[in-house]
Amino acid sequence: MLVSEIIKKQMEETGWIRRMFEEGIRLRKIYGDENVYDFSLGNPDIEPPEQLIRVLIDILKNPIPGMHRYMPNNGYEEVRSQIAEYLKTRYDMPFTKDHVYMSSGSAGGLNILLKSMLNVGDEVIVPKPYFMEFKYYIESHGGIIKTVSTDKAFQLDVDKIASAITKNTKAILINSPNNPTGVVYKEEKLKELARLLNEHREKGKKIYLICDDAYRKIVFDNIQLPNVFKIYDLVISVTSHSKDLALPGERIGYIAVSPKIKGAQEIIDASIFANRILGFINAPALMQRIVAQFQKNSVDIADYQKKRDAIYNILKDSGYNVIKPEGAFYIFPESPIEDDIEFIRHLQRFHILAVPGTGFGRKGYFRLAYCVEMDIIERSAKYFKEAIENL
Ligand SMILES: Cc1ncc(COP(=O)(O)O)c(C=O)c1O
């Protein structure tokens, strides 16, 4: 067989994504784009900030000699310094350029990091529901994913995490604000987790906390994200500008290693090697120069908050059980019937495309990505109501 058995199996596991995608195409062909309510993809419908485009044009008009050449694999030194300055202020920690590693988005960053950290058989604990790619990233680098349920409010269940820790646990991978729930993990839960991990550390076992911070700037109601770098020492954050600057196609983000990790240079050196052999080589050159100047900026968060309010109210008013998201651009209602895959099919009859919770490791729920035009959200209200009334 031409295709590897592992990839074949992984593709089969995720085959429902392809089927859903095909169903979307079919519905669009029959009913037209404007009559399909597609909440299936986390692909922002907005443009990057105008100022960012102006800076991009300016760079292209005034090229710096060598700006398209190879560079150090961890990124331009001046870019890493600029980002470190930002991180220093934001987290009140002594970040330097040596703690920052430019990556091809958060997906690139996570893969580099996991490749650098994992021995075959090392375990990574992931609270679920979770972004399904994590499993495949971990498995690609010889690791084993151990998923652990969050509580009813989708908050960390530290007792469950404690029970999942074994001698092979290398890291815990969290994502907050969370895809698919939109939940922000609470400070007291993170502190409880830190206490647990510190107990292990005192006994000589280091467990790293990897934070996928892809949505860290998309938070609502003036909520302040807990400063994880102050809560626990062994933190590595992987972030992205796909969402906060609406640049997913440009593949840009970075890894930030806590200055409290002794031997941070070791993981950076390993990442340099991993980056090369994974074939990313370095993060896109042009985008590095751009995002270095936009660390304090983001797309219009108020716009996402309005959409969050609209979709939340539509679901509530129609009778769905749902937790109000505090960030990202996803909402994760309970499926009105036990079988979430069956419910997704039912929604399709009303031209609504969504993703079953099963795909995120949590049966009985479904995910809606509301990074779509407000008009789509508003017009979908009638159909969400009809769908629940006609079960
Ligand atoms: C939780 C999470 N992590 C990582 C990614 C990948 O983002 P990037 O485009 O930065 O690679 C996504 C994309 O949707 C995501 O939801």
Side-chain angles (χ1 to χ4, degrees), residues 167-232:
K167 64 178 184 5
N168 297 325
T169 306
K170 184 73 181 258
I172 299 182
L173 169 53
I174 61 172
N175 164 230
S176 169
N178 181 262
N179 176 7
T181 62
V183 157
V184 171
Y185 291 152
K186 296 217 175 310
E187 177 147 7
E188 72 251 28
K189 292 284 178 186
L190 289 165
K191 285 187 170 160
E192 208 183 316
L193 177 62
R195 277 195 293 277
L196 168 72
L197 300 184
N198 281 330
E199 280 168 22
H200 282 274
R201 208 172 157 195
E202 276 158 25
K203 289 184 217 145
K205 174 146 190 67
K206 284 185 186 170
I207 301 176
Y208 293 86
L209 184 60
I210 303 174
C211 300
D212 177 343
D213 289 329
Y215 300 95
R216 79 192 153 108
K217 284 198 192 145
I218 308 181
V219 281
F220 309 135
D221 312 320
N222 296 319
I223 285 174
Q224 296 296 315
L225 281 188
N227 184 349
V228 206
F229 288 104
K230 290 275 182 194
I231 295 175
Y232 185 55

Side-chain angles (χ1 to χ4, degrees), residues 106-120:
S106 143
L110 284 168
N111 273 284
I112 289 170
L113 193 59
L114 293 166
K115 177 114 193 131
S116 309
M117 288 176 71
L118 297 181
N119 290 306
V120 173

Side-chain angles (χ1 to χ4, degrees), residues 48 84 124-125 128 139 153 163 166 171 176 191 208 212 214 235 238 250 255 266 291 312 315 329-330 340 386:
V124 180
I125 296 175
K128 64 181 169 187
E139 289 177 354
S163 314
T166 72
S176 169
K191 285 187 170 160
Y208 293 86
D212 177 343
V235 169
V238 182
E250 302 298 345
I255 300 172
E266 203 183 16
V291 299
Y312 174 75
L315 291 164
F329 37 61
Y330 306 103
D340 49 318
E386 281 180 16

Side-chain angles (χ1 to χ4, degrees), residues 342-385:
E342 185 48 43
F343 186 64
I344 292 306
R345 286 199 197 103
H346 179 70
L347 281 177
Q348 285 171 355
R349 287 180 207 123
F350 298 85
H351 307 181
I352 294 173
L353 303 180
V355 186
T358 301
F360 303 96
R362 188 84 153 226
K363 285 193 171 88
Y365 291 82
F366 63 101
R367 187 196 78 172
L368 303 170
Y370 57 83
C371 47
V372 297
E373 281 170 32
M374 189 59 134
D375 173 59
I376 301 263
I377 298 176
E378 283 168 351
R379 284 191 298 117
S380 69
K382 174 172 179 289
Y383 301 100
F384 277 111
K385 199 162 185 334

Side-chain angles (χ1 to χ4, degrees), residues 52 63 71 95 114 122 202 213 228 240 251 268-269 298 346:
L52 189 149
M71 68 185 77
F95 281 100
L114 293 166
D122 277 351
E202 276 158 25
D213 289 329
V228 206
S240 161
R251 314 305 310 132
I268 293 282
D269 287 345
S298 67
H346 179 70

